[in-house]
């Protein structure tokens, strides 16, 4: 069974889609040399017309992609830094996302925004460490956060083939995850995945936190039976799949690397409690309200949701209902 | 320029003029909700530029965009239905005045975000040419947009990648109420010069002058040239937005308005036609606009149950907002 890293899974997905569909092309900063180590070798294989280095003009090249998509192509943009999404939020939301409705269905805008290394990279400080997936879920742009190499491949392929804009967050702490992968296939949007079955509490973990949640579940196995649910797509969200899990366990903890206020965890909890009567109040483990990641490694870690926080939240949830 | 071209150009400016005058009446009558940004006075720019385009070309406009859509050849009846929010509108009543689009004729939409069209058109033209078309594009924007970073980034991208986009700045003297002198350091043509984009300033009130400048630019672009810029000096005869008809804002000296309105593109082009030809065009335009108004007002309103139809091209369905 071949070992595949998350990063190489992204490369493979890009290469397969470039080979599969002449309409696909890549845009981004330093992608010909592959500064993010994701587009490595693609310019050589597919040419610099289809793997295009851009000037540092994020707003223009994001809208350039919108125009190219309106004209029938399928652009993929790599953003080197997650915080650049704040700069191009206008171009994605006001134009790419709104055009199908505003034109009364005259067009589609199939653009993929790939963000390799989202979240904290440790030591990259305030303007390089954001994880703003909840913003895109809020405005209704399809948002995926794969946790594993197979899902990174499958969701990126699906994103590129999808007829609406999709943001693909590839969390920095997941980029070097390796897995035995023998079957690479597209993964449908809006379909979660249970990585570990349990019967006492459902932990919803997003992106790289899936791996931390699995480690915690294993560590606590003699005390509590933890089910780990990975939504994979944040918008549209697999609420039916999660409700099925929580209906069995009766308890819910959400593990989310976003800021607390108006974050994904809040939305997930609200969506569940609208439909399920829980045995205990739900809990969330998130970044603090309005977090800006400080530089010093100890401070950086202190603001990220960690395994210890998750252990505490699981204990509290179980205690609250006993 | 043949006699037929001359008449066609007059027909376009006259059509935009009468369409806009009737649209303003419909705003006052409550049939168009939300108001409009009238294109009155600037007709010569859209008409002259669009007369220089071919069938494969694309354009995107502004919040003051009715003229661009009509000059490109959209159906005035469906355009007016769109303004009235009817299901028969160009955008099925989902876009309205500021987003009217007709992709079937290369109109990628009026766009209400100032300076947004440049990069979108650059991408669309690049993509069309990659697919083997001989497309050129037009990005219309106002004098206010030349201070938007996004547009200046688009200048750079189009010039760098030699994408044939005609950037048309309709300098009507004001960004809403801000005069050009209060907002633009340097000059508009100077913005283009910084990117080695050829630029000309033309009298935007003369449709034939605009057409000649646009045709020359389009010829050069089709022959392999990169982007160009035309600064069309024009004047907006009416308000920035029809809300000014209710709320008087004092920012244009009356004598300036009088002088501006004296150079009327419809009159300038009309004076080049024989009286009988002009009268025939006027009658035809009147019938077209009358029919458009009837069509728009007779058309059904969209069903609120379908309010979010078209939200996703992929057909993704969403949760409703109710409890």
């Amino acid at each position: 069974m071949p070992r595949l890293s998350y990063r190489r899974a992204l490369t493979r997905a890009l290469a397969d889609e470039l080979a599969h569909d002449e309409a696909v092309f890549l845009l981004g900063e330093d992608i010909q040399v592959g500064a993010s180590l994701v587009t490595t070798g693609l310019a050589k294989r597919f040419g610099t017309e289809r793997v295009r280095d851009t000037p540092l003009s994020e707003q223009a090249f994001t809208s350039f992609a919108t125009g190219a998509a309106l004209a029938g192509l399928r652009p993929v943009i790599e953003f080197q830094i997650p915080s650049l999404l704040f700069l191009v939020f206008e171009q994605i939301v006001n134009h790419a996302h709104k055009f199908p409705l505003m034109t009364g269905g005259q067009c589609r805008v199939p653009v993929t925004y790939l963000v390799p290394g989202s979240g904290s990279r440790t030591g990259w400080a305030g303007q390089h460490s954001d994880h703003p997936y909840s913003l895109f879920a809020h405005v209704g742009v399809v948002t995926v956060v794969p946790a594993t190499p197979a899902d990174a491949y499958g969701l990126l392929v699906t994103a590129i083939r999808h007829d609406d804009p999709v943001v693909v967050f590839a969390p920095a702490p997941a980029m070097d995850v390796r897995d035995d992968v023998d079957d690479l296939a597209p993964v449908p949007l809006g379909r979660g995945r249970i990585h570990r079955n349990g019967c006492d509490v459902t932990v919803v973990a997003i992106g790289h936190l899936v791996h931390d949640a699995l480690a915690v579940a294993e560590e606590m196995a003699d005390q509590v039976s933890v089910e780990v649910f990975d939504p994979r797509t944040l918008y549209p969200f697999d609420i039916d799949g999660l409700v099925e899990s929580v209906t069995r366990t009766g308890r819910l903890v959400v593990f989310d690397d976003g800021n607390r206020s108006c974050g994904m965890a809040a939305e997930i909890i609200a969506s569940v409690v609208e439909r399920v009567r829980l045995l205990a109040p739900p809990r969330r483990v998130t970044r603090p309200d309005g977090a800006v990641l400080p530089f010093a490694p100890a401070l950086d870690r202190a603001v990220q949701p960690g395994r210890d926080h998750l252990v505490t939240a699981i204990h509290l949830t179980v205690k609250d209902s006993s | 320029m043949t006699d037929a071209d001359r008449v066609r150009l007059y027909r376009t400016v006259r059509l935009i003029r009468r369409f806009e005058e009737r649209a303003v009446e419909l705003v006052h009558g409550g049939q168009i909700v939300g108001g409009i940004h009238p294109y009155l006075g600037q007709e010569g720019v859209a008409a002259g530029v669009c007369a220089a385009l071919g069938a494969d070309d694309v354009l995107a406009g502004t919040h003051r965009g009715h003229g661009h859509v009509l000059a490109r050849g959209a159906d005035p009846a469906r355009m007016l239905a769109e303004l009235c929010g009817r299901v028969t509108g160009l955008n099925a009543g989902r876009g309205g005045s500021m987003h009217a689009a007709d992709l079937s004729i290369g109109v990628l939409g009026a766009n209400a975000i100032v300076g947004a069209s440049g990069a979108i058109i650059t991408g669309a033209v690049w993509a069309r040419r990659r697919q083997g078309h001989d497309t050129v594009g037009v990005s219309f924007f106002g004098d206010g947009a030349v201070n938007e970073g996004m547009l200046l980034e688009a200048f750079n991208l189009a010039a760098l990648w030699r994408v044939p986009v005609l950037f048309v700045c309709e300098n009507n003297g004001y960004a809403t109420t801000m005069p050009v002198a209060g907002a633009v350091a340097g000059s508009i043509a100077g913005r283009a010069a910084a990117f080695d984009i050829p630029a000309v300033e033309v009298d935007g009130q003369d449709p034939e002058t605009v057409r000649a400048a646009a045709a020359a630019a389009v010829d050069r672009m089709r022959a392999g040239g990169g982007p160009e810029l035309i600064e069309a000096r024009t004047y907006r005869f009416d308000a920035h937005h029809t809300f000014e008809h209710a709320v008087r804002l004092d920012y244009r000296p009356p004598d300036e308005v009088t002088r501006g309105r004296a150079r009327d593109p419809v009159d300038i082009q009309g004076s080049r036609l024989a009286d009988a030809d002009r009268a025939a065009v006027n009658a035809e335009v009147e019938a077209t606009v009358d029919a458009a108004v009837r069509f728009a007002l007779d058309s059904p309103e969209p069903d609120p149950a379908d309010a979010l139809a078209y939200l996703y091209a992929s057909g993704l369905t969403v949760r409703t907002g109710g409890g």
Side-chain angles (χ1 to χ4, degrees):
Chain A
M1 206 182 269
R3 296 281 285 176
L4 183 67
S5 79
Y6 188 111
R7 193 185 301 274
R8 279 295 146 256
L10 294 174
T11 311
R12 187 87 77 83
L14 293 173
D16 285 357
E17 289 313 288
L18 282 161
H20 160 263
D21 184 352
E22 192 61 33
V24 175
F25 73 101
L26 313 187
L27 276 176
E29 291 156 348
D30 313 299
I31 62 171
Q32 287 176 359
V33 298
S36 300
L37 305 177
V38 168
T39 53
T40 315
L42 297 179
K44 195 168 171 203
R45 181 168 164 203
F46 295 100
T48 51
E49 265 293 290
R50 293 182 72 198
V51 181
R52 298 184 72 81
D53 268 347
T54 60
L56 307 189
S57 302
E58 293 81 11
Q59 297 185 322
F61 68 66
T62 301
S63 277
F64 178 95
T66 301
L70 288 171
L73 299 186
R74 290 187 177 274
V76 180
I77 304 179
E78 183 196 282
F79 290 102
Q80 216 173 72
I81 302 163
S83 311
L84 290 175
L85 292 173
F86 298 132
L87 188 60
V88 299
F89 200 57
E90 196 279 318
Q91 284 71 25
I92 296 174
V93 178
N94 257 338
H95 307 281
H97 171 57
K98 291 183 181 176
F99 270 26
L101 182 138
M102 292 197 309
T103 61
Q106 293 182 61
C107 66
R108 53 185 192 176
V109 188
V111 184
T112 301
Y113 312 99
L114 173 63
V115 191
S118 58
S120 171
R121 299 170 184 179
T122 308
W124 288 60
Q127 292 177 335
H128 282 62
S129 305
D130 294 292
H131 227 161
Y133 41 69
S134 66
L135 295 182
F136 293 92
H138 179 73
V139 295
V141 174
V142 172
T143 305
V144 303
V145 194
T148 67
D151 284 344
Y153 176 88
L155 284 166
L156 181 51
V157 165
T158 300
I160 295 169
R161 296 181 186 177
H162 192 66
D163 278 343
D164 287 307
V166 181
V167 186
V168 179
F169 287 89
M175 291 292 279
D176 295 315
V177 168
R178 284 167 188 280
D179 241 342
D180 294 328
V181 179
D182 52 4
D183 188 25
L184 287 173
V187 170
L189 297 172
R191 194 85 55 81
R193 170 179 174 187
I194 293 172
H195 284 268
R196 178 190 175 106
N197 290 103
C199 55
D200 293 331
V201 56
T202 301
V203 170
V204 178
I206 295 169
H208 62 291
L209 295 179
V210 167
H211 305 289
D212 293 296
L214 286 169
V216 165
E218 182 61 29
E219 188 184 303
M220 297 178 78
D222 55 345
Q223 309 156 62
V224 54
S225 167
V226 175
E227 178 145 309
V228 177
F229 181 90
D230 170 8
R232 304 195 287 189
T233 308
L234 297 183
Y235 186 90
F237 192 90
D238 183 6
I239 188 64
D240 290 340
L242 178 57
V243 161
E244 188 278 323
S245 167
V246 177
T247 302
R248 279 188 285 101
T249 63
R251 297 178 189 85
L252 174 65
V253 175
V254 183
F255 199 22
D256 165 20
D257 190 33
N259 293 353
R260 198 167 185 87
S261 179
C262 301
M264 262 327 288
E267 174 57 31
I268 292 167
I269 288 171
S271 298
V272 169
V273 300
E274 278 177 336
R275 290 176 54 178
V276 182
R277 191 177 295 276
L278 297 173
L279 300 173
R283 302 227 162 231
R284 53 183 158 157
V285 179
T286 65
R287 292 186 183 191
D289 279 343
V292 175
L293 256 64
F295 163 67
L299 304 180
D300 176 318
R301 270 194 306 279
V303 241
Q304 290 184 67
R307 293 183 186 184
D308 292 350
H309 304 116
L310 181 60
V311 169
T312 305
I314 291 171
H315 277 312
L316 287 171
T317 306
V318 173
K319 183 171 78 77
D320 283 347
S321 52
S322 55
Chain B
M1 162 102 28
T2 64
D3 284 350
D5 291 335
R6 187 154 278 167
V7 172
R8 250 197 308 275
L9 213 40
Y10 176 67
R11 186 187 181 280
T12 306
V13 292
R14 177 79 187 181
L15 172 68
I16 299 170
R17 171 64 52 87
R18 292 297 297 139
F19 181 97
E20 290 294 70
E21 288 172 344
R22 296 295 288 275
V24 168
E25 288 172 22
L26 293 171
V27 170
H28 294 164
Q31 292 99 337
I32 294 176
V33 176
I36 61 171
H37 300 83
Y39 197 66
L40 295 164
Q42 302 183 201
E43 296 91 341
V45 184
V49 170
C50 289
L53 299 179
D56 238 3
D57 298 334
V58 294
L59 65 84
T62 67
H63 54 284
R64 195 178 311 289
H66 303 173
H68 313 130
V69 182
L70 290 170
R72 183 61 180 154
D75 177 359
R78 294 194 58 212
M79 176 74 182
L80 199 54
E82 185 57 35
L83 270 50
C84 293
R86 304 306 167 105
V87 76
T88 54
L90 288 174
N91 308 33
R94 269 65 178 182
S97 166
M98 287 191 282
H99 308 300
D102 188 345
L103 274 80
S104 70
I105 54 170
V107 177
L108 305 191
N111 196 313
I113 302 300
V114 173
S117 74
I120 293 172
I121 281 294
T122 303
V125 171
W126 179 84
R128 297 273 299 164
R129 295 182 84 81
R130 250 193 70 80
Q131 296 167 97
H133 300 272
D134 190 28
T135 301
V136 302
V138 178
S139 161
F140 289 101
F141 52 88
D143 46 274
V146 304
N147 298 319
E148 293 285 1
M150 177 168 45
L151 182 66
L152 301 177
E153 288 183 8
F155 284 4
N156 185 60
L157 217 52
L160 189 71
W161 292 347
R162 290 188 71 73
V163 183
V165 172
L166 181 56
F167 292 104
V168 178
C169 178
E170 299 186 64
N171 180 357
N172 65 17
Y174 293 86
T176 308
T177 68
M178 168 63 88
V180 169
V184 179
S187 67
I188 292 169
R191 302 281 199 276
F195 302 97
D196 280 344
I197 294 175
V200 291
E201 295 171 32
V202 303
D203 175 7
Q205 300 310 88
D206 183 343
E208 293 193 4
T209 301
V210 175
R211 182 185 186 275
V218 166
D219 284 348
R220 287 189 292 269
M221 293 196 298
R222 281 208 216 283
E228 302 208 10
L229 181 139
I230 292 175
E231 177 187 347
R233 297 284 179 87
T234 184
Y235 199 75
R236 124 167 101 67
F237 285 8
D238 197 345
H240 163 68
H241 181 272
T242 48
F243 79 77
E244 282 181 55
H245 297 171
V247 181
R248 184 163 293 282
L249 302 176
D250 184 18
Y251 60 96
R252 299 201 297 187
D255 61 322
E256 178 199 292
V257 177
T258 306
R259 273 200 316 278
R261 293 177 70 105
R263 298 208 63 248
D264 185 323
V266 180
D267 291 346
I268 289 171
Q269 192 60 20
S271 71
R272 292 170 176 145
L273 270 60
D275 291 349
D277 291 343
R278 189 171 58 245
V281 170
N282 290 353
E284 186 219 327
V285 164
E286 219 48 34
T288 299
V289 176
D290 281 343
V293 172
R294 276 196 305 277
F295 175 81
L297 297 182
D298 289 348
S299 290
E301 294 188 1
D303 181 352
D306 298 331
L308 287 184
Y310 316 117
L311 178 57
Y312 295 103
S314 58
L316 179 67
T317 54
V318 300
R319 297 180 295 178
T320 57

